[in-house]
Amino acid sequence: MSVSVENAGSASPAGPAGSASPAGPVGPAGPAAVAAQAPAAVDAPDAPDAPEVTEAAEETAQALRPHAEDAFAAELAALAAHDDRPRPARWLLSPWAVATYLLGGTLPDGTVITPKYVGPRRIVEVAVTTLATDRALLLLGVPGTAKTWVSEHLAAAVSGDSTLLVQGTAGTPEEAIRYGWNYARLLAHGPSRDALVPSPVMRAMSEGMTARVEELTRIPADVQDTLITILSEKTLPIPELGQEVQAVSGFNLIATANDRDRGVNDLSSALRRRFNTVVLPLPESAEAEVDIVSRRVDQIGRSLDLPTGPEGIDEIRRVVTVFRELRAGVTADGRTKVKSPSGTLSTAEAISVVTNGLALATHFGDGVLRPGDVAAGILGAVVRDPAADRVIWQEYLEAVVRERDGWKDFYRACREVSA
């Protein structure tokens, strides 16, 4: 799962792009070329522009949660410098380098690319290959399987900009996908391109970038279907002006949807055919999930100035074990069946529980993650239905946790917060 060259400039007004180090390749598809063409690179000799670059760099450094292309810009630049494989039009990296960025690896010069996603390699390869075709990509899975995380990093590696985003909700309007209007200009001068406000999807089409649509099945069905013409004809009509926007090479779209949202706003068959669907599974093994949680907690902890270290690995393993057993309805050894609560108990929730426990240990303890620090978080994640889930949790504590060797402190902490 989880998972800077500074922004010397951006490829377009659409948003930031990860620029390359001076050693990066020079070519129409390379990050160095994007940086070299940016206005900041042209205006660099002018004294007035220098403070603006400094302020932008400071804002990026102070961001609580930097965009992927900023947080991992050094890795993207290193990959670009060693990437001699063919790149699709307007891609910053080749498909091989994009997959390496997500899955991790070591470059010839010793640069370590950290894994952004821990899972089957073939899933990532299929997702990346889809983006290199004229088919859009739908990432499907239960909540907490890193769909948003993967879509962000794919957009960052392919286009250098993960911010062309439409957040799907029950109230998402058609304008969020197509375009809107600046009503002051519209009333003053009538319909014109100057009065038109492009959506992130429209901007991605005109600039050959990757757009993202989060929680697609949360969007009303009639709004979802505005994507059909965009994805099939690669055209966005503007009937008010008698014009259209045609997608240029490099444009594609990544959408995410939850399995649990089936029946909310199911995709029409016409729209579903426009996507290649890739299902992101839950981690196959406990050790893989422990690795994912440990990596993400370490990254989040560093951004929040929380101490991380090997001392907390036992608690991470306990949290993951509890979540996996309650999800599966059986203990890890297969000997005891347990009831599953109503919540998803996803990897993302395990990360949240451990991160919150680490904050408790830091601010109200000795900085070492202990059972008492994660017990309340586990209770909140498991007991979503106060009546049914509380009974399931109490039965699990007494039948499973209480009998485990080395879990006595964990059992007492959980009993205390559950009382």
Side-chain angles (χ1 to χ4, degrees):
M1 175 177 180
S2 42
V3 348
S4 140
V5 278
E6 299 174 355
N7 287 332
S10 60
S12 68
S19 55
S21 66
V26 177
V34 175
Q37 294 167 7
V42 175
D43 298 335
D46 298 333
D49 287 340
E52 296 179 6
V53 174
T54 301
E55 290 172 7
E58 289 179 355
E59 289 178 3
T60 298
Q62 295 173 0
L64 182 61
R65 205 281 200 183
H67 298 303
E69 59 270 21
D70 297 324
F72 296 94
E75 291 186 13
L76 290 169
L79 278 165
H82 292 86
D83 186 13
D84 57 358
R85 304 194 182 203
R87 306 177 188 181
R90 292 186 174 83
W91 279 40
L92 301 185
L93 299 171
S94 69
W96 171 85
V98 173
T100 301
Y101 170 72
L102 263 78
L103 295 168
T106 302
L107 300 181
D109 66 352
T111 301
V112 176
I113 305 299
T114 57
K116 318 301 180 300
Y117 175 75
V118 177
R121 182 177 187 86
R122 200 60 175 175
I123 287 178
V124 173
E125 292 175 343
V126 171
V128 174
T129 302
T130 296
L131 294 177
T133 69
D134 63 347
R135 301 277 288 182
L137 173 64
L138 175 62
L139 298 176
L140 189 66
V142 299
T145 48
K147 298 180 298 296
T148 298
W149 180 258
V150 170
S151 74
E152 179 187 359
H153 283 283
L154 281 171
V158 170
S159 297
D161 188 349
S162 63
T163 65
L164 298 178
L165 171 68
V166 177
Q167 179 60 57
T169 69
T172 299
E174 186 176 302
E175 291 79 6
I177 293 177
R178 298 178 72 237
Y179 52 84
W181 296 96
N182 180 323
Y183 287 102
R185 290 184 178 179
L186 186 64
L187 293 173
H189 306 290
S192 67
R193 289 302 288 263
D194 288 339
L196 186 145
V197 180
S199 70
V201 175
M202 187 180 196
R203 290 167 56 190
M205 293 176 68
S206 62
E207 298 164 17
M209 307 282 276
T210 302
R212 299 165 56 210
V213 179
E214 290 295 316
E215 303 290 357
L216 181 59
T217 50
R218 289 287 179 183
I219 299 175
D222 58 332
V223 178
Q224 291 177 10
D225 285 345
T226 60
L227 286 170
I228 292 177
T229 301
I230 293 173
L231 297 181
S232 60
E233 305 296 329
K234 301 297 187 287
T235 298
L236 176 56
I238 310 175
E240 297 90 342
L241 303 180
Q243 300 176 10
E244 64 180 16
V245 173
Q246 291 188 315
V248 300
S249 297
F251 165 71
N252 214 325
L253 184 139
I254 307 172
T256 65
N258 288 327
D259 281 347
R260 295 291 180 95
D261 286 342
R262 287 176 179 170
V264 177
N265 291 302
D266 287 335
L267 302 184
S268 66
S269 59
L271 181 55
R272 186 174 283 276
R273 286 197 306 270
R274 271 65 182 182
F275 286 99
N276 273 355
T277 301
V278 172
V279 178
L280 298 185
L282 289 164
E284 292 184 0
S285 67
E287 285 307 312
E289 192 162 2
V290 168
D291 183 41
I292 292 168
V293 174
S294 300
R295 288 178 184 275
R296 283 297 293 138
V297 168
D298 181 66
Q299 291 172 351
I300 295 171
R302 280 188 271 113
S303 71
L304 298 176
D305 293 328
L306 300 176
T308 57
E311 298 87 356
I313 193 64
D314 288 339
E315 302 314 319
I316 293 176
R317 187 168 282 107
R318 285 194 185 96
V319 171
V320 168
T321 299
V322 169
F323 277 30
R324 290 181 67 87
E325 290 181 338
L326 289 174
R327 280 200 311 252
V330 64
T331 55
D333 58 13
R335 296 179 179 177
T336 307
K337 290 186 177 181
V338 298
K339 295 178 182 178
S340 296
S342 58
T344 58
L345 300 181
S346 66
T347 307
E349 289 171 296
I351 293 168
S352 177
V353 167
V354 175
T355 302
N356 186 68
L358 188 60
L360 280 172
T362 301
H363 299 300
F364 298 99
D366 59 3
V368 177
L369 192 64
R370 303 184 188 280
D373 300 318
V374 299
I378 290 179
L379 178 66
V382 173
V383 181
R384 299 296 176 86
D385 182 333
D389 290 345
R390 185 172 290 277
V391 172
I392 291 172
W393 176 236
Q394 293 290 354
E395 290 179 354
Y396 178 77
L397 279 179
E398 299 303 323
V400 178
V401 175
R402 183 179 182 179
E403 304 302 322
R404 279 205 170 120
D405 292 337
W407 284 48
K408 296 300 181 185
D409 289 343
F410 182 79
Y411 170 74
R412 284 193 289 268
C414 289
R415 286 282 299 171
E416 182 179 344
V417 299
S418 300

PDB file of all heavy atoms in Angstrom, residues 355-381:
ATOM      1  N   THR A 355      -2.132   4.836  14.763  1.00  0.00           N
ATOM      2  CA  THR A 355      -1.667   6.226  14.775  1.00  0.00           C
ATOM      3  C   THR A 355      -2.218   6.973  15.978  1.00  0.00           C
ATOM      4  O   THR A 355      -1.503   7.726  16.648  1.00  0.00           O
ATOM      5  CB  THR A 355      -2.077   6.945  13.475  1.00  0.00           C
ATOM      6  OG1 THR A 355      -1.526   6.248  12.358  1.00  0.00           O
ATOM      7  CG2 THR A 355      -1.569   8.379  13.467  1.00  0.00           C
ATOM      8  N   ASN A 356      -3.496   6.780  16.273  1.00  0.00           N
ATOM      9  CA  ASN A 356      -4.097   7.433  17.434  1.00  0.00           C
ATOM     10  C   ASN A 356      -3.456   6.928  18.720  1.00  0.00           C
ATOM     11  O   ASN A 356      -3.199   7.702  19.655  1.00  0.00           O
ATOM     12  CB  ASN A 356      -5.598   7.171  17.462  1.00  0.00           C
ATOM     13  CG  ASN A 356      -6.298   7.952  18.557  1.00  0.00           C
ATOM     14  OD1 ASN A 356      -6.387   9.179  18.497  1.00  0.00           O
ATOM     15  ND2 ASN A 356      -6.785   7.264  19.577  1.00  0.00           N
ATOM     16  N   GLY A 357      -3.176   5.626  18.770  1.00  0.00           N
ATOM     17  CA  GLY A 357      -2.503   5.085  19.947  1.00  0.00           C
ATOM     18  C   GLY A 357      -1.114   5.654  20.131  1.00  0.00           C
ATOM     19  O   GLY A 357      -0.676   5.924  21.252  1.00  0.00           O
ATOM     20  N   LEU A 358      -0.410   5.859  19.007  1.00  0.00           N
ATOM     21  CA  LEU A 358       0.926   6.443  19.077  1.00  0.00           C
ATOM     22  C   LEU A 358       0.872   7.875  19.591  1.00  0.00           C
ATOM     23  O   LEU A 358       1.739   8.311  20.365  1.00  0.00           O
ATOM     24  CB  LEU A 358       1.570   6.400  17.696  1.00  0.00           C
ATOM     25  CG  LEU A 358       3.047   6.782  17.592  1.00  0.00           C
ATOM     26  CD1 LEU A 358       3.895   5.857  18.437  1.00  0.00           C
ATOM     27  CD2 LEU A 358       3.496   6.748  16.136  1.00  0.00           C
ATOM     28  N   ALA A 359      -0.166   8.618  19.191  1.00  0.00           N
ATOM     29  CA  ALA A 359      -0.331   9.989  19.694  1.00  0.00           C
ATOM     30  C   ALA A 359      -0.613   9.974  21.196  1.00  0.00           C
ATOM     31  O   ALA A 359      -0.083  10.808  21.944  1.00  0.00           O
ATOM     32  CB  ALA A 359      -1.458  10.680  18.936  1.00  0.00           C
ATOM     33  N   LEU A 360      -1.435   9.038  21.649  1.00  0.00           N
ATOM     34  CA  LEU A 360      -1.695   8.919  23.088  1.00  0.00           C
ATOM     35  C   LEU A 360      -0.408   8.601  23.849  1.00  0.00           C
ATOM     36  O   LEU A 360      -0.126   9.194  24.894  1.00  0.00           O
ATOM     37  CB  LEU A 360      -2.725   7.816  23.335  1.00  0.00           C
ATOM     38  CG  LEU A 360      -4.193   8.147  23.115  1.00  0.00           C
ATOM     39  CD1 LEU A 360      -5.047   6.892  23.221  1.00  0.00           C
ATOM     40  CD2 LEU A 360      -4.671   9.198  24.119  1.00  0.00           C
ATOM     41  N   ALA A 361       0.366   7.660  23.324  1.00  0.00           N
ATOM     42  CA  ALA A 361       1.609   7.275  23.986  1.00  0.00           C
ATOM     43  C   ALA A 361       2.593   8.432  24.041  1.00  0.00           C
ATOM     44  O   ALA A 361       3.342   8.588  25.012  1.00  0.00           O
ATOM     45  CB  ALA A 361       2.243   6.090  23.261  1.00  0.00           C
ATOM     46  N   THR A 362       2.597   9.263  23.013  1.00  0.00           N
ATOM     47  CA  THR A 362       3.530  10.389  22.953  1.00  0.00           C
ATOM     48  C   THR A 362       3.140  11.504  23.905  1.00  0.00           C
ATOM     49  O   THR A 362       3.974  12.041  24.644  1.00  0.00           O
ATOM     50  CB  THR A 362       3.599  10.933  21.514  1.00  0.00           C
ATOM     51  OG1 THR A 362       4.035   9.895  20.637  1.00  0.00           O
ATOM     52  CG2 THR A 362       4.555  12.118  21.425  1.00  0.00           C
ATOM     53  N   HIS A 363       1.868  11.873  23.896  1.00  0.00           N
ATOM     54  CA  HIS A 363       1.432  13.047  24.648  1.00  0.00           C
ATOM     55  C   HIS A 363       0.988  12.743  26.075  1.00  0.00           C
ATOM     56  O   HIS A 363       0.989  13.631  26.924  1.00  0.00           O
ATOM     57  CB  HIS A 363       0.291  13.741  23.891  1.00  0.00           C
ATOM     58  CG  HIS A 363       0.681  14.217  22.528  1.00  0.00           C
ATOM     59  ND1 HIS A 363       1.685  15.135  22.320  1.00  0.00           N
ATOM     60  CD2 HIS A 363       0.210  13.889  21.295  1.00  0.00           C
ATOM     61  CE1 HIS A 363       1.817  15.357  21.019  1.00  0.00           C
ATOM     62  NE2 HIS A 363       0.936  14.619  20.380  1.00  0.00           N
ATOM     63  N   PHE A 364       0.619  11.483  26.339  1.00  0.00           N
ATOM     64  CA  PHE A 364       0.141  11.151  27.682  1.00  0.00           C
ATOM     65  C   PHE A 364       0.826   9.917  28.264  1.00  0.00           C
ATOM     66  O   PHE A 364       0.358   9.363  29.257  1.00  0.00           O
ATOM     67  CB  PHE A 364      -1.381  10.929  27.654  1.00  0.00           C
ATOM     68  CG  PHE A 364      -2.152  12.133  27.236  1.00  0.00           C
ATOM     69  CD1 PHE A 364      -2.608  12.256  25.926  1.00  0.00           C
ATOM     70  CD2 PHE A 364      -2.408  13.168  28.117  1.00  0.00           C
ATOM     71  CE1 PHE A 364      -3.310  13.372  25.509  1.00  0.00           C
ATOM     72  CE2 PHE A 364      -3.104  14.291  27.718  1.00  0.00           C
ATOM     73  CZ  PHE A 364      -3.563  14.403  26.413  1.00  0.00           C
ATOM     74  N   GLY A 365       1.914   9.498  27.652  1.00  0.00           N
ATOM     75  CA  GLY A 365       2.651   8.341  28.150  1.00  0.00           C
ATOM     76  C   GLY A 365       4.138   8.551  28.002  1.00  0.00           C
ATOM     77  O   GLY A 365       4.627   9.686  27.967  1.00  0.00           O
ATOM     78  N   ASP A 366       4.864   7.461  27.859  1.00  0.00           N
ATOM     79  CA  ASP A 366       6.312   7.547  27.763  1.00  0.00           C
ATOM     80  C   ASP A 366       6.815   7.427  26.326  1.00  0.00           C
ATOM     81  O   ASP A 366       8.010   7.258  26.097  1.00  0.00           O
ATOM     82  CB  ASP A 366       6.957   6.463  28.626  1.00  0.00           C
ATOM     83  CG  ASP A 366       6.529   5.043  28.221  1.00  0.00           C
ATOM     84  OD1 ASP A 366       5.767   4.916  27.238  1.00  0.00           O
ATOM     85  OD2 ASP A 366       6.949   4.082  28.893  1.00  0.00           O
ATOM     86  N   GLY A 367       5.900   7.489  25.363  1.00  0.00           N
ATOM     87  CA  GLY A 367       6.298   7.430  23.966  1.00  0.00           C
ATOM     88  C   GLY A 367       6.364   6.038  23.386  1.00  0.00           C
ATOM     89  O   GLY A 367       6.594   5.879  22.192  1.00  0.00           O
ATOM     90  N   VAL A 368       6.167   5.020  24.227  1.00  0.00           N
ATOM     91  CA  VAL A 368       6.188   3.632  23.758  1.00  0.00           C
ATOM     92  C   VAL A 368       4.749   3.143  23.618  1.00  0.00           C
ATOM     93  O   VAL A 368       3.950   3.261  24.554  1.00  0.00           O
ATOM     94  CB  VAL A 368       6.966   2.731  24.728  1.00  0.00           C
ATOM     95  CG1 VAL A 368       6.911   1.282  24.260  1.00  0.00           C
ATOM     96  CG2 VAL A 368       8.407   3.208  24.847  1.00  0.00           C
ATOM     97  N   LEU A 369       4.412   2.601  22.476  1.00  0.00           N
ATOM     98  CA  LEU A 369       3.061   2.121  22.215  1.00  0.00           C
ATOM     99  C   LEU A 369       2.776   0.887  23.064  1.00  0.00           C
ATOM    100  O   LEU A 369       3.504  -0.104  23.008  1.00  0.00           O
ATOM    101  CB  LEU A 369       2.917   1.790  20.726  1.00  0.00           C
ATOM    102  CG  LEU A 369       1.507   1.547  20.186  1.00  0.00           C
ATOM    103  CD1 LEU A 369       0.667   2.814  20.303  1.00  0.00           C
ATOM    104  CD2 LEU A 369       1.557   1.087  18.730  1.00  0.00           C
ATOM    105  N   ARG A 370       1.681   0.964  23.852  1.00  0.00           N
ATOM    106  CA  ARG A 370       1.319  -0.121  24.741  1.00  0.00           C
ATOM    107  C   ARG A 370      -0.152  -0.510  24.527  1.00  0.00           C
ATOM    108  O   ARG A 370      -0.897   0.209  23.861  1.00  0.00           O
ATOM    109  CB  ARG A 370       1.553   0.286  26.197  1.00  0.00           C
ATOM    110  CG  ARG A 370       2.999   0.717  26.477  1.00  0.00           C
ATOM    111  CD  ARG A 370       3.219   1.008  27.956  1.00  0.00           C
ATOM    112  NE  ARG A 370       4.538   1.608  28.187  1.00  0.00           N
ATOM    113  CZ  ARG A 370       5.664   0.939  28.243  1.00  0.00           C
ATOM    114  NH1 ARG A 370       5.642  -0.381  28.105  1.00  0.00           N
ATOM    115  NH2 ARG A 370       6.818   1.550  28.453  1.00  0.00           N
ATOM    116  N   PRO A 371      -0.586  -1.657  25.108  1.00  0.00           N
ATOM    117  CA  PRO A 371      -1.972  -2.094  24.907  1.00  0.00           C
ATOM    118  C   PRO A 371      -3.013  -1.039  25.253  1.00  0.00           C
ATOM    119  O   PRO A 371      -4.017  -0.888  24.556  1.00  0.00           O
ATOM    120  CB  PRO A 371      -2.083  -3.319  25.814  1.00  0.00           C
ATOM    121  CG  PRO A 371      -0.700  -3.868  25.876  1.00  0.00           C
ATOM    122  CD  PRO A 371       0.198  -2.663  25.846  1.00  0.00           C
ATOM    123  N   GLY A 372      -2.781  -0.297  26.340  1.00  0.00           N
ATOM    124  CA  GLY A 372      -3.754   0.713  26.744  1.00  0.00           C
ATOM    125  C   GLY A 372      -3.909   1.840  25.744  1.00  0.00           C
ATOM    126  O   GLY A 372      -4.940   2.531  25.732  1.00  0.00           O
ATOM    127  N   ASP A 373      -2.921   2.032  24.897  1.00  0.00           N
ATOM    128  CA  ASP A 373      -2.984   3.121  23.922  1.00  0.00           C
ATOM    129  C   ASP A 373      -3.842   2.772  22.710  1.00  0.00           C
ATOM    130  O   ASP A 373      -4.375   3.660  22.053  1.00  0.00           O
ATOM    131  CB  ASP A 373      -1.568   3.485  23.448  1.00  0.00           C
ATOM    132  CG  ASP A 373      -0.667   3.929  24.588  1.00  0.00           C
ATOM    133  OD1 ASP A 373      -1.150   4.692  25.446  1.00  0.00           O
ATOM    134  OD2 ASP A 373       0.504   3.500  24.632  1.00  0.00           O
ATOM    135  N   VAL A 374      -3.967   1.482  22.406  1.00  0.00           N
ATOM    136  CA  VAL A 374      -4.731   1.079  21.220  1.00  0.00           C
ATOM    137  C   VAL A 374      -6.100   0.513  21.582  1.00  0.00           C
ATOM    138  O   VAL A 374      -6.953   0.362  20.694  1.00  0.00           O
ATOM    139  CB  VAL A 374      -3.952   0.045  20.382  1.00  0.00           C
ATOM    140  CG1 VAL A 374      -2.642   0.634  19.885  1.00  0.00           C
ATOM    141  CG2 VAL A 374      -3.704  -1.235  21.175  1.00  0.00           C
ATOM    142  N   ALA A 375      -6.341   0.224  22.848  1.00  0.00           N
ATOM    143  CA  ALA A 375      -7.584  -0.447  23.244  1.00  0.00           C
ATOM    144  C   ALA A 375      -8.819   0.379  22.897  1.00  0.00           C
ATOM    145  O   ALA A 375      -9.793  -0.131  22.333  1.00  0.00           O
ATOM    146  CB  ALA A 375      -7.554  -0.759  24.735  1.00  0.00           C
ATOM    147  N   ALA A 376      -8.809   1.661  23.208  1.00  0.00           N
ATOM    148  CA  ALA A 376      -9.986   2.503  22.936  1.00  0.00           C
ATOM    149  C   ALA A 376     -10.236   2.628  21.436  1.00  0.00           C
ATOM    150  O   ALA A 376     -11.388   2.627  20.991  1.00  0.00           O
ATOM    151  CB  ALA A 376      -9.793   3.880  23.563  1.00  0.00           C
ATOM    152  N   GLY A 377      -9.172   2.726  20.657  1.00  0.00           N
ATOM    153  CA  GLY A 377      -9.322   2.825  19.211  1.00  0.00           C
ATOM    154  C   GLY A 377      -9.925   1.564  18.618  1.00  0.00           C
ATOM    155  O   GLY A 377     -10.766   1.620  17.709  1.00  0.00           O
ATOM    156  N   ILE A 378      -9.511   0.402  19.124  1.00  0.00           N
ATOM    157  CA  ILE A 378     -10.076  -0.863  18.646  1.00  0.00           C
ATOM    158  C   ILE A 378     -11.556  -0.937  18.993  1.00  0.00           C
ATOM    159  O   ILE A 378     -12.392  -1.337  18.165  1.00  0.00           O
ATOM    160  CB  ILE A 378      -9.319  -2.055  19.257  1.00  0.00           C
ATOM    161  CG1 ILE A 378      -7.905  -2.137  18.677  1.00  0.00           C
ATOM    162  CG2 ILE A 378     -10.069  -3.364  18.996  1.00  0.00           C
ATOM    163  CD1 ILE A 378      -7.075  -3.269  19.230  1.00  0.00           C
ATOM    164  N   LEU A 379     -11.908  -0.547  20.207  1.00  0.00           N
ATOM    165  CA  LEU A 379     -13.312  -0.562  20.608  1.00  0.00           C
ATOM    166  C   LEU A 379     -14.149   0.304  19.681  1.00  0.00           C
ATOM    167  O   LEU A 379     -15.237  -0.091  19.234  1.00  0.00           O
ATOM    168  CB  LEU A 379     -13.446  -0.074  22.053  1.00  0.00           C
ATOM    169  CG  LEU A 379     -14.882   0.010  22.596  1.00  0.00           C
ATOM    170  CD1 LEU A 379     -15.484  -1.385  22.707  1.00  0.00           C
ATOM    171  CD2 LEU A 379     -14.902   0.716  23.956  1.00  0.00           C
ATOM    172  N   GLY A 380     -13.655   1.500  19.353  1.00  0.00           N
ATOM    173  CA  GLY A 380     -14.394   2.387  18.465  1.00  0.00           C
ATOM    174  C   GLY A 380     -14.537   1.843  17.064  1.00  0.00           C
ATOM    175  O   GLY A 380     -15.541   2.077  16.386  1.00  0.00           O
ATOM    176  N   ALA A 381     -13.515   1.096  16.601  1.00  0.00           N
ATOM    177  CA  ALA A 381     -13.570   0.534  15.253  1.00  0.00           C
ATOM    178  C   ALA A 381     -14.492  -0.673  15.179  1.00  0.00           C
ATOM    179  O   ALA A 381     -15.174  -0.880  14.173  1.00  0.00           O
ATOM    180  CB  ALA A 381     -12.159   0.142  14.792  1.00  0.00           C
TER     181      ALA A 381
END
